[in-house]
Amino acid sequence: MDQIMEWAKELQSLAQAGLYYGKDDFDKERYQRIREISAEMMAERTGLPFEKVKVLFCNEIGYQTPKIDTRAAIIDQGKILLVRERDGRWTIPGGWCDYNLSPAENTVKEAKEEAGLDIVVDKLIAVQDRDRHAEPAYPFKVVRLFFLCHSIGGAFVENLETSASGYFTLDELPNLAVEKTNAEQLKMCFGAYHNNGWNVAFE
């Protein structure tokens, strides 16, 4: 864990809450400066341009809460479906949860958009704090939900996000987008698939 980045994220969260709930204009000015300092810290630590970090890191209002990411583990005949992103790396289909969809509904949507498949969500596999299972650290907190699913139709169509799809065993994994999907998580998904009594993993 990068303690400097963790402090920057905490400062950003406190400043965001202060800007939303604060009443005094002078206090709000101070909270705004604290928010800028947190973005400067994050930019210094990551090497990203300050303006880019500011857009990613300081673009919300209200009390700060984690972003929700959903992933569709679609397993068939001992292999799991992965999609190839535009940078050539592979991941389980998924993405940010839209504000008007439930996590399960979002999982169905992402599988259709990225893999071209119509799916049914069977069960929840895990609720993970993303930073405990993936690197590099994001400038905001993410909770990632893995769902075991099965396909009922459809076919892959190249799109803006993905250029290919395929089924893989754990022994033949391609180059993974490890900040989104890693071998440990894929092994977990297979474990849920083979265990009818699977208990949801959470932390």
Coordinates of all heavy atoms in Angstrom, one line a residue, residues 19 34 85 122 137 142 149 182 193 198 202:
L19 N -16.7 20.7 1.5 CA -17.3 21.6 0.4 C -18.8 21.4 0.3 O -19.5 22.4 0.0 CB -16.6 21.3 -0.9 CG -15.2 21.8 -1.1 CD1 -14.5 21.2 -2.3 CD2 -15.2 23.3 -1.2
I34 N -7.5 22.4 0.2 CA -7.1 21.0 0.6 C -7.3 20.0 -0.5 O -6.5 19.1 -0.7 CB -7.8 20.6 1.9 CG1 -7.4 21.5 3.1 CG2 -7.6 19.1 2.2 CD1 -8.3 21.3 4.3
E85 N -9.3 -6.0 -24.6 CA -9.5 -4.6 -24.7 C -8.6 -4.0 -25.8 O -7.7 -4.7 -26.3 CB -9.2 -4.0 -23.3 CG -10.1 -4.5 -22.2 CD -10.1 -3.7 -21.0 OE1 -9.0 -3.3 -20.6 OE2 -11.1 -3.5 -20.3
D122 N -26.3 -15.9 -12.2 CA -26.7 -17.0 -11.3 C -26.5 -16.7 -9.8 O -27.4 -17.0 -9.0 CB -26.0 -18.2 -11.7 CG -26.3 -18.7 -13.2 OD1 -27.5 -18.7 -13.5 OD2 -25.4 -19.0 -13.9
A137 N -2.8 1.2 -7.5 CA -3.9 1.8 -6.8 C -4.6 2.9 -7.6 O -3.9 3.6 -8.4 CB -3.3 2.5 -5.5
V142 N -12.8 1.7 -5.0 CA -13.7 0.9 -5.8 C -14.1 -0.4 -5.1 O -13.2 -1.0 -4.5 CB -12.9 0.5 -7.1 CG1 -13.8 -0.4 -8.0 CG2 -12.5 1.8 -7.9
C149 N -22.2 -16.3 -14.1 CA -23.3 -16.1 -15.1 C -23.2 -17.3 -16.1 O -22.2 -18.0 -16.2 CB -23.1 -14.8 -15.8 SG -22.8 -13.3 -14.7
N182 N -7.2 -10.5 -12.4 CA -6.0 -11.2 -12.3 C -6.2 -12.7 -12.1 O -7.4 -13.2 -11.9 CB -5.1 -10.6 -11.1 CG -5.8 -10.6 -9.8 OD1 -6.5 -11.6 -9.4 ND2 -5.7 -9.6 -9.0
Y193 N -17.8 -21.7 -9.4 CA -18.5 -22.5 -10.4 C -18.5 -24.0 -10.1 O -19.6 -24.6 -10.3 CB -17.7 -22.3 -11.8 CG -18.2 -23.2 -12.9 CD1 -19.4 -22.8 -13.6 CD2 -17.5 -24.3 -13.3 CE1 -19.9 -23.6 -14.6 CE2 -18.0 -25.1 -14.4 CZ -19.2 -24.7 -15.0 OH -19.7 -25.5 -16.1
W198 N -21.1 -22.6 -2.6 CA -20.1 -21.5 -2.5 C -20.7 -20.4 -1.5 O -21.8 -19.9 -1.7 CB -19.9 -20.9 -3.8 CG -19.0 -19.7 -3.8 CD1 -19.4 -18.4 -3.9 CD2 -17.6 -19.6 -3.8 NE1 -18.3 -17.5 -3.9 CE2 -17.2 -18.3 -3.9 CE3 -16.6 -20.6 -3.8 CZ2 -15.8 -17.9 -3.9 CZ3 -15.3 -20.3 -3.8 CH2 -14.9 -18.9 -3.8
F202 N -16.3 -11.9 1.0 CA -16.5 -10.5 1.2 C -15.5 -10.0 2.2 O -14.9 -10.8 3.0 CB -17.9 -10.1 1.6 CG -18.3 -10.8 2.9 CD1 -18.1 -10.1 4.1 CD2 -18.9 -12.0 2.9 CE1 -18.5 -10.7 5.3 CE2 -19.3 -12.6 4.1 CZ -19.1 -12.0 5.3

